[in-house]
Amino acid sequence: MEKTNIPELFGSLVFDDRVMRARLSDDVYASLKKTIDENEKLDEKVADAVAEEMKNWAIENGATHFTHWFQPLTGVTAEKHDSFISPSPDGGVLMEFSGKELIKGEPDASSFPSGGLRATFEARGYTAWDPTSYAFIKDKTLCIPTAFCSYSGEALDKKTPLLRSMQAINKQAKRILKLFGTDANYVRTSVGPEQEYFLVDKEVFNKRPDLKYTGRTLFGAMPPKGQEMDDHYFGVIKPRVQEYMSDLNQELWKLGILAKTEHNEVAPAQHELAPIYSTTNVATDANQLTMEIMKKVASRHGMECLLHEKPFAGVNGSGKHNNWSIGTDTGINLLSPGKTPYENAQFLLFLCAVIQAVDDYQDLLRLSVATAGNDHRLGANEAPPAIISIFLGDELTAILDAIRNDTPYEGTEKVVMKLGVSSLPRFSRDTTDRNRTSPFAFTGNKFEFRSLGSSNSIACCNIMLNAAVAESLRQYADELEKSANFEEDLHALIKRVITDHQRILFDGNGYGDEWVKEATEVRGLSNLKTTADAMPHLLDAKNKEMLMAHKVFTEAELESRCEIMLENYVKQVNIEGLTMVDMVRKNYLPAIERYLFRLAETTSLMRQVSDKVKCNYEVSTMERLSELTDHILDSVKDLEEALKTFKGLSDVFKSSEFVRDEMLPKMDTLRSYVDEAEMLTSQKDWPFPSYGQLLFSVN
């Protein structure tokens, strides 16, 4: 029977701190906590003790197998299951699990994307336990969150660089806090990723090859009603969807995932789930699990959960808003204004670190969210543009302007802004409106990075954000640690940063054409519209130097990731192109031909009755459909030629440019003709469910 007591249900399938405190000895628990909180090396005897209790707990909760659960560069998770059984001398079995098995696994590393780091015949890879992320039970299997690396030590996953970036920002932030006399054992970033998704009926979904193969509709004319009435956003949740959400919450809560908010989103059939904040690597694990479970639960309810960034043209796509903050183990949010002038000076310095980081490394942030799917969404009217900028709001903007210009701050009291002295006023956190058009907005005590696509791993953007902010903090610490007059030099530093990075601050309408012109032509901001434009910047000298200096990536890891992400991009578009050809050749052209035959047959019969019958509808429809058939045939031939050319390209950079410049425009042209033909062909003859049937399939 399903538990309904939420505190009892929550985390019931997680080997969390409550379980460890209850089951481990005091010494083992204390040693493990030091490893988790202070990055102390894990003692092997402690690992054996933890493994024994973890196994016993898992078996008590119905688990029969264990797996090292990791996040390779495929964008999804991976797992290989081993049972707990070992043979006993009497012919039976023992249930065993050692510290060695807990700490290390050896999956095949040659079958995952490596970008040239591993040859096909070099198969050995390792997974290493991440004790900072709790083990959990899924489908009767104990899942142990791990990092994944090659035999020679290169990171082959998304978790390892994320953990490295968290170490980097911890190191540099503690240097800054020491200058302010702020005590902290460690500094960690936290994330709360809002997750948007679509739900469609599974029976209707199964009739659309494009959705099954690519996650998005490659063809489809808009129905008479879309999102124009704004009646779906925050509307009453349909009973079938509510049942799904309730079931989803139960499954997520069992796994200790802090699912908090649920509502209808703007587009028909679109919804959102938002969790409470957690430490960045834990939040990353939780979001990967969330996406997996959303799809499983949807299937259980006869639905399909779509996580593609733009499954339907003409209505809003789905994003994932990455709410990012930074704080200490003592509970101080470093992006929250304080109660004293000194606390506010500290807040302003960390604020400046983010501003500088986003300006200096806007290309890294953009490429961290670049995928074939997200390229269709960024810059559309429901998503921030591909141009990265920061929204601060009226009060913070006024304060920074006052500091930059050494002018009185027109706030609650008129004072000249001098940091570290009593004239620095207090200011609150939520005194400004939100800006939904901004890709990177300050929202009180955190920044909301809105450019992520719904299927993105949040690891990528947080790696870049953590590393870039760590670099800003390093520069500040290097300067201020040598200071003879801390308050004066602090004020000068903050004033200089605000002045030098003013161009990245923009509080206006990010959707407007005038902003694109101002951003690129006046401010000199980058506008990297596609993955092919953005991804090569990973290998820019300044980016490589920074990421390697903070030991987030090695040079080989950077080169491999650039190749892997571009390969993912071109492979995805290639699959879409092949799917379009397949659907047009096998379904759309034959369907239009059948309808034309019926129209011709009807016209002939009608005219046999009377030569005065004009048959205007039949004739005009046949004429246009015949023209469209010719256009469709020519367009599909053009796309087939492009696919052949693509197949012959071996350089991934040239391939990505060819996809951007040649294949995608040809795909758009082909779609436009097919979509027009859909509007002229009877529903009976059309081979696939329409947009209306898909978007309004869940009642």
Side-chain angles (χ1 to χ4, degrees):
M1 185 175 175
E2 192 66 71
K3 296 177 181 177
T4 55
N5 183 311
I6 294 176
E8 182 184 348
L9 177 75
F10 189 83
S12 56
L13 295 181
V14 183
F15 194 75
D16 59 16
D17 193 67
R18 297 171 300 176
V19 178
M20 291 190 289
R21 208 167 43 235
R23 301 187 74 114
L24 301 176
S25 70
D26 290 344
D27 289 345
V28 169
Y29 175 76
S31 178
L32 182 61
K33 284 294 285 180
K34 262 191 166 306
T35 297
I36 294 171
D37 293 339
E38 301 174 30
N39 290 319
E40 291 278 337
K41 187 176 179 181
L42 184 70
D43 185 282
E44 286 189 18
K45 291 180 180 178
V46 169
D48 283 331
V50 173
E52 179 66 19
E53 286 305 320
M54 193 181 284
K55 176 205 71 177
N56 293 338
W57 168 82
I59 292 170
E60 289 166 17
N61 282 278
T64 58
H65 289 67
F66 68 92
T67 182
H68 275 199
W69 184 81
F70 58 101
Q71 298 169 39
L73 297 172
T74 56
V76 294
T77 57
E79 51 195 66
K80 179 190 74 170
H81 299 181
D82 288 297
S83 71
F84 288 117
I85 64 169
S86 294
S88 66
D90 60 3
V93 293
L94 301 171
M95 303 296 273
E96 294 183 342
F97 181 55
S98 67
K100 183 181 290 187
E101 290 172 308
L102 170 63
I103 291 172
K104 188 180 81 170
E106 292 192 22
D108 181 350
S110 66
S111 298
F112 292 101
S114 70
L117 286 175
R118 305 291 289 156
T120 303
F121 61 86
E122 296 174 320
R124 190 180 295 277
Y126 296 113
T127 48
W129 177 36
D130 172 18
T132 65
S133 189
Y134 297 134
F136 56 90
I137 296 171
K138 177 171 68 76
D139 300 329
K140 296 186 177 181
T141 299
L142 173 66
C143 298
I144 302 157
T146 56
F148 177 44
C149 66
S150 71
Y151 177 69
S152 48
E154 296 97 346
L156 296 175
D157 66 343
K158 299 192 176 186
K159 167 161 278 198
T160 303
L162 179 62
L163 293 172
R164 292 171 181 168
S165 75
M166 292 172 67
Q167 282 188 180
I169 200 169
N170 172 59
K171 177 181 178 181
Q172 303 304 330
K174 283 168 66 176
R175 292 175 66 193
I176 295 294
L177 293 179
K178 186 177 180 181
L179 294 169
F180 283 93
T182 303
D183 293 326
N185 292 316
Y186 56 82
V187 174
R188 284 182 179 160
T189 56
S190 298
V191 175
E194 303 167 33
Q195 178 73 55
E196 295 174 346
Y197 60 98
F198 281 82
L199 290 175
V200 298
D201 186 86
K202 196 169 190 67
E203 186 177 343
V204 181
F205 168 87
N206 283 332
K207 295 176 181 177
R208 291 286 309 217
D210 47 359
L211 277 177
K212 288 201 290 185
Y213 294 148
T214 73
R216 75 179 181 106
T217 52
L218 301 173
F219 302 98
M222 279 298 295
K225 182 180 186 293
Q227 63 190 52
E228 300 86 357
M229 299 301 294
D230 299 322
D231 55 345
H232 192 257
Y233 189 55
F234 279 25
V236 175
I237 299 171
K238 294 176 182 177
R240 189 175 173 191
V241 175
Q242 186 62 69
E243 289 174 7
Y244 163 79
M245 288 179 170
S246 297
D247 196 1
L248 176 62
N249 285 334
Q250 294 265 324
E251 296 298 329
L252 294 177
W253 289 339
K254 288 178 194 174
L255 293 169
I257 296 172
L258 295 157
K260 175 74 171 176
T261 303
E262 59 193 29
H263 62 82
N264 290 346
E265 256 300 333
V266 173
Q270 189 184 35
H271 311 279
E272 182 178 299
L273 179 150
I276 299 172
Y277 289 80
S278 52
T279 306
T280 302
N281 66 311
V282 175
T284 301
D285 288 354
N287 186 250
Q288 291 295 128
L289 267 176
T290 297
M291 290 190 286
E292 176 188 334
I293 293 167
M294 288 169 87
K295 296 185 81 66
K296 282 184 179 178
V297 174
S299 184
R300 194 186 300 166
H301 287 262
M303 296 184 289
E304 188 71 27
C305 176
L306 306 180
L307 294 174
H308 194 283
E309 287 72 23
K310 196 75 171 177
F312 303 101
V315 299
N316 279 12
S318 294
K320 177 149 46 190
H321 303 159
N322 189 81
N323 293 283
W324 180 92
S325 192
I326 178 171
T328 70
D329 62 310
T330 56
I332 300 172
N333 184 331
L334 298 172
L335 291 179
S336 183
K339 296 179 180 179
T340 68
Y342 227 52
E343 288 173 343
N344 275 337
Q346 178 179 284
F347 157 72
L348 287 171
L349 188 60
F350 276 92
L351 180 71
C352 283
V354 177
I355 292 170
Q356 179 177 337
V358 174
D359 189 18
D360 286 347
Y361 299 101
Q362 54 190 276
D363 49 358
L364 286 180
L365 291 178
R366 170 64 183 93
L367 68 86
S368 74
V369 300
T371 62
N374 212 20
D375 284 356
H376 294 290
R377 171 180 163 267
L378 291 181
N381 279 343
E382 86 278 359
I387 302 165
I388 302 295
S389 64
I390 296 177
F391 167 82
L392 292 180
D394 295 340
E395 185 177 30
L396 266 182
T397 298
I399 288 170
L400 296 191
D401 284 345
I403 294 171
R404 180 166 58 95
N405 298 317
D406 282 327
T407 56
Y409 166 59
E410 302 285 350
T412 52
E413 52 181 314
K414 194 172 183 179
V415 292
V416 175
M417 298 293 289
K418 292 290 184 182
L419 301 178
V421 295
S422 59
S423 61
L424 182 66
R426 289 180 58 181
F427 41 91
S428 54
R429 58 181 63 166
D430 286 321
T431 59
T432 188
D433 199 358
R434 296 180 68 189
N435 187 333
R436 295 182 62 83
T437 74
S438 175
F440 203 90
F442 185 70
T443 55
N445 58 0
K446 57 184 170 59
F447 278 96
E448 182 181 25
F449 188 23
R450 297 173 52 84
S451 298
L452 283 78
S454 54
S455 66
N456 284 160
S457 164
I458 66 170
C460 301
C461 74
N462 286 297
I463 290 167
M464 300 308 178
L465 186 53
N466 289 346
V469 174
E471 173 59 18
S472 297
L473 294 173
R474 181 199 65 77
Q475 293 177 24
Y476 302 167
D478 286 351
E479 182 174 336
L480 293 173
E481 283 171 351
K482 302 171 186 174
S483 172
N485 189 323
F486 178 71
E487 290 183 5
E488 283 188 10
D489 291 342
L490 173 64
H491 179 80
L493 171 60
I494 290 178
K495 179 180 177 181
R496 186 180 74 240
V497 171
I498 296 167
T499 302
D500 291 349
H501 299 281
Q502 188 70 21
R503 67 172 186 166
I504 203 72
L505 304 177
F506 178 66
D507 287 0
N509 178 16
Y511 293 164
D513 292 337
E514 64 278 4
W515 164 236
V516 176
K517 186 174 182 180
E518 178 188 336
T520 56
E521 297 180 14
V522 179
R523 300 192 182 206
L525 300 179
S526 60
N527 184 14
L528 305 172
K529 295 181 180 180
T530 71
T531 301
D533 298 316
M535 199 56 65
H537 288 282
L538 183 61
L539 302 182
D540 287 356
K542 73 174 180 68
N543 295 335
K544 289 172 66 175
E545 182 180 344
M546 183 274 288
L547 291 166
M548 291 166 61
H550 290 282
K551 299 181 179 178
V552 176
F553 290 107
T554 66
E555 185 170 17
E557 288 169 349
L558 284 169
E559 290 171 351
S560 71
R561 272 158 178 75
C562 183
E563 183 174 328
I564 289 166
M565 300 313 293
L566 284 174
E567 278 185 354
N568 288 344
Y569 168 70
V570 299
K571 286 177 180 177
Q572 179 64 36
V573 178
N574 183 55
I575 292 169
E576 291 177 355
L578 292 170
T579 302
M580 291 185 87
V581 169
D582 191 68
M583 293 174 73
V584 167
R585 289 283 191 188
K586 294 179 179 177
N587 302 102
Y588 285 124
L589 283 175
I592 298 168
E593 183 183 43
R594 284 193 300 271
Y595 186 54
L596 279 169
F597 177 80
R598 288 208 299 121
L599 285 174
E601 190 176 44
T602 300
T603 303
S604 177
L605 290 170
M606 289 171 70
R607 284 178 170 167
Q608 287 179 31
V609 173
S610 170
D611 57 7
K612 293 181 180 180
V613 177
K614 294 181 179 180
C615 301
N616 287 338
Y617 159 68
E618 290 81 5
V619 171
S620 63
T621 303
M622 282 192 291
E623 287 175 349
R624 183 54 185 158
L625 276 177
S626 180
E627 289 175 351
L628 287 171
T629 302
D630 290 341
H631 290 319
I632 291 169
L633 181 61
D634 290 341
S635 297
V636 81
K637 286 180 177 178
D638 285 347
L639 180 55
E640 286 170 331
E641 286 301 314
L643 287 164
K644 287 179 184 176
T645 303
F646 168 78
K647 194 173 181 180
L649 297 174
S650 57
D651 181 88
V652 72
F653 294 95
K654 290 181 180 177
S655 296
S656 66
E657 291 168 358
F658 181 80
V659 162
R660 176 194 64 200
D661 299 334
E662 298 293 333
M663 283 178 59
L664 285 168
K666 287 178 170 57
M667 290 163 64
D668 289 341
T669 299
L670 176 58
R671 175 178 185 149
S672 68
Y673 291 133
V674 174
D675 288 358
E676 184 181 347
E678 179 182 355
M679 298 302 293
L680 296 173
T681 307
S682 75
Q683 183 173 318
K684 176 184 175 182
D685 290 282
W686 203 244
F688 303 115
S690 67
Y691 263 30
Q693 291 169 299
L694 283 162
L695 288 169
F696 299 95
S697 63
V698 176
N699 298 315

